[in-house]
Amino acid sequence: MRCVSKTEARPDVRGDAPARQGQGATALRLAVFAATFVGLQSLWSTARGTVVERTLIDSLIVPVAAWWVNVIWPSVQASAQGARLVSPAGGINVLNGCEGTDVLFLLMAALAVAPLSWRARLAGMAIGALLVFALNQLRIVVLFQSVRLEPEWFAALHAVVTPLALTLAVALFFLAWMRRHAAFPWASA
């Protein structure tokens, strides 16, 4: 007859404890991620129609997009008129929701709960914010050109293609950042 130790008879006493702790930590990270994302989105929604929103869109996003269009295609003669990016051949309105904050907030929430040092977390947030801004500028320029050159493409590009491309690009950035900086055994594998 074989003697059975308490840990063999009751693996949940000791053997499964690390797994349960890991599940609890994951659940906590998911809850904090969701709360952070919802909190940032809610805070941004309170800025709708305020000087904060107008400053971001009218003074930063649209003028920079107009500059890019004019650098790449000088003959287009794009200009920023408040929240509108216009040219003689057409234009678009950049509204709340088109400025890339939703993807930025997803990234910020993910980095906030990631197992990173504070230095890596803050650097990831800064570099990630610049990446989101640059990619969203590309998105706005593509949408602007689609209105001018291929108007029938605009709806699909605006509603599906460019939001997915932006989200995927930022998710790949997050994964690459985690692979380089996270405190996981697989991070350096």
Side-chain angles (χ1 to χ4, degrees), residues 122-170:
L122 294 175
M125 287 179 174
I127 293 167
L130 292 173
L131 177 67
V132 170
F133 180 79
L135 291 173
N136 197 59
Q137 286 292 306
L138 176 61
R139 175 180 169 265
I140 290 169
V141 168
V142 166
L143 292 173
F144 174 76
Q145 286 293 75
S146 76
V147 163
R148 293 182 54 256
L149 303 174
E150 299 290 342
E152 63 276 1
W153 292 6
F154 178 80
L157 285 170
H158 179 260
V160 179
V161 177
T162 59
L164 283 175
L166 182 60
T167 303
L168 179 61
V170 172

Side-chain angles (χ1 to χ4, degrees), residues 14 16 20 24 32 39 58 63 65 68 78 83 88 105 111 113 122 130 138:
R14 296 181 85 176
D16 288 350
R20 281 192 314 226
V32 172
D58 299 359
W68 276 114
F105 296 156
L111 289 168
V113 300
L122 294 175
L130 292 173
L138 176 61

Side-chain angles (χ1 to χ4, degrees), residues 1-170:
M1 188 181 244
R2 183 172 176 244
C3 288
V4 178
S5 72
K6 288 184 181 180
T7 51
E8 287 176 300
R10 294 180 38 190
D12 60 317
V13 171
R14 296 181 85 176
D16 288 350
R20 281 192 314 226
Q21 288 172 351
Q23 291 170 351
T26 300
L28 178 61
R29 283 184 197 277
L30 285 172
V32 172
F33 166 81
T36 302
F37 176 70
V38 169
L40 289 170
Q41 283 286 76
S42 297
L43 187 62
W44 178 244
S45 72
T46 64
R48 187 178 300 267
T50 68
V51 68
V52 174
E53 178 192 47
R54 296 283 41 100
T55 299
L56 179 66
I57 293 173
D58 299 359
S59 301
L60 181 62
I61 292 174
V62 175
V64 172
W67 181 83
W68 276 114
V69 169
N70 289 325
V71 164
I72 299 168
W73 302 283
S75 64
V76 171
Q77 301 174 350
S79 65
Q81 297 177 2
R84 290 185 45 79
L85 178 58
V86 297
S87 77
I92 61 172
N93 293 320
V94 179
L95 305 172
N96 187 307
C98 299
E99 72 292 295
T101 55
D102 50 349
V103 176
L104 176 65
F105 296 156
L106 280 172
L107 179 60
M108 296 299 126
L111 289 168
V113 300
L116 297 165
S117 69
W118 280 105
R119 184 174 183 214
R121 184 182 326 277
L122 294 175
M125 287 179 174
I127 293 167
L130 292 173
L131 177 67
V132 170
F133 180 79
L135 291 173
N136 197 59
Q137 286 292 306
L138 176 61
R139 175 180 169 265
I140 290 169
V141 168
V142 166
L143 292 173
F144 174 76
Q145 286 293 75
S146 76
V147 163
R148 293 182 54 256
L149 303 174
E150 299 290 342
E152 63 276 1
W153 292 6
F154 178 80
L157 285 170
H158 179 260
V160 179
V161 177
T162 59
L164 283 175
L166 182 60
T167 303
L168 179 61
V170 172

